[in-house]
């Protein structure tokens, strides 16, 4: 356990993901200790570490989360099933598709405003449902007529440098 404390938060979370889940008995013991300590998380964590020195010791916040999970969902273990994601209406997807086809240079915000949708929802529809990659083109450089003589001079200079170096390498 001392090695885990020396690791960063991200590394500890990776280790936690690879660990096995707590058994029902361990979780029940945690809840009993949490109640015994009058829902004092830190005291419950210290008492659990004292009474069960050879077991994994959760952080103090785990005790309250476990209690809430039992109250809200009636289970000790967190659900491993994916959450239910509601499907988007086909009419909404089609209206976003039509808006993009009519004007491919428009923004997701303007499409969202026109269709009374959140621009994030429009972005997700374009990306996930339509399989397109929304982006906004930004011109960062532009050539002007007065740039042509300078560009020609640079090309002449570069050609001369290449010619000089080729001659000097012989």
């Amino acid at each position: 356990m001392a090695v885990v404390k020396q690791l960063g938060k991200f590394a500890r979370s990776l280790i936690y993901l690879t660990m096995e889940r707590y058994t029902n008995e361990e979780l029940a013991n945690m809840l009993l200790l949490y109640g015994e300590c009058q829902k004092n998380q830190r005291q419950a964590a210290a008492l659990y570490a004292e009474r069960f020195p050879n077991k994994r010791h959760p952080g103090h916040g785990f005790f309250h989360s476990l209690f809430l999970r039992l109250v809200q969902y009636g289970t000790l273990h967190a659900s491993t099933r994916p959450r239910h994601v509601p499907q988007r209406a086909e009419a909404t997807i089609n209206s976003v598709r039509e808006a993009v086809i009519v004007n491919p240079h428009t923004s997701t915000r303007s499409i969202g405003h026109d269709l009374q949708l959140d621009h994030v929802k429009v972005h997700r529809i374009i990306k996930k449902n339509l399989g397109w990659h929304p982006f906004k083109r930004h011109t960062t450089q532009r050539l002007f007529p007065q740039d042509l003589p300078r560009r020609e001079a640079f090309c002449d200079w570069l050609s001369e440098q290449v010619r000089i170096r080729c001659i000097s390498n012989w």
Side-chain angles (χ1 to χ4, degrees):
M1 192 65 179
V3 174
V4 174
K5 286 184 181 179
Q6 292 174 352
L7 295 174
K9 185 177 183 180
F10 178 71
R12 284 195 305 265
S13 65
L14 287 177
I15 289 172
Y16 179 74
L17 290 175
T18 59
M19 292 177 148
E20 296 176 16
R21 293 171 18 158
Y22 290 104
T23 65
N24 287 336
E25 183 181 355
E26 290 172 325
L27 294 173
N29 287 332
M30 288 178 205
L31 278 175
L32 289 171
L33 290 177
Y34 185 60
E36 185 179 322
C37 296
Q38 283 82 38
K39 297 183 182 178
N40 184 325
Q41 301 173 29
R42 293 184 189 277
Q43 192 178 12
L47 189 59
Y48 186 82
E50 181 183 314
R51 289 195 186 166
F52 303 100
N54 297 329
K55 302 248 184 199
R56 286 184 292 146
H57 304 138
H60 66 273
F62 185 80
F63 289 85
H64 184 67
S65 300
L66 177 63
F67 177 74
L68 288 179
R69 188 185 316 146
L70 184 63
V71 169
Q72 291 176 349
Y73 303 110
T75 182
L76 294 174
H77 291 284
S79 175
T80 56
R81 294 186 318 186
R83 295 183 318 186
H84 173 68
V85 178
Q87 297 298 316
R88 298 200 198 309
E90 197 65 35
T92 306
I93 296 170
N94 289 335
S95 59
V96 170
R97 178 185 293 119
E98 290 300 317
V100 173
I101 289 172
V102 167
N103 186 3
H105 302 288
T106 189
S107 68
T108 56
R109 287 185 187 274
S110 63
I111 293 173
H113 180 71
D114 294 343
L115 301 175
Q116 284 96 29
L117 294 172
D118 182 36
H119 73 97
V120 175
K121 187 177 282 191
V122 172
H123 191 277
R124 287 182 183 148
I125 289 172
I126 292 171
K127 193 162 181 71
K128 294 184 180 177
N129 295 100
L130 300 178
W132 297 344
H133 302 284
F135 68 93
K136 183 110 174 155
R137 192 178 103 201
H138 296 281
T139 304
T140 56
Q141 295 178 347
R142 183 183 320 171
L143 292 176
F144 295 100
Q146 63 265 27
D147 291 333
L148 183 61
R150 290 185 6 221
R151 292 171 64 85
E152 287 176 340
F154 174 76
C155 290
D156 291 340
W157 174 83
L158 187 61
S159 296
E160 183 66 22
Q161 295 300 314
V162 170
R163 189 181 64 74
I164 290 171
R165 293 197 182 190
C166 286
I167 291 173
S168 65
N169 286 340
W170 283 93

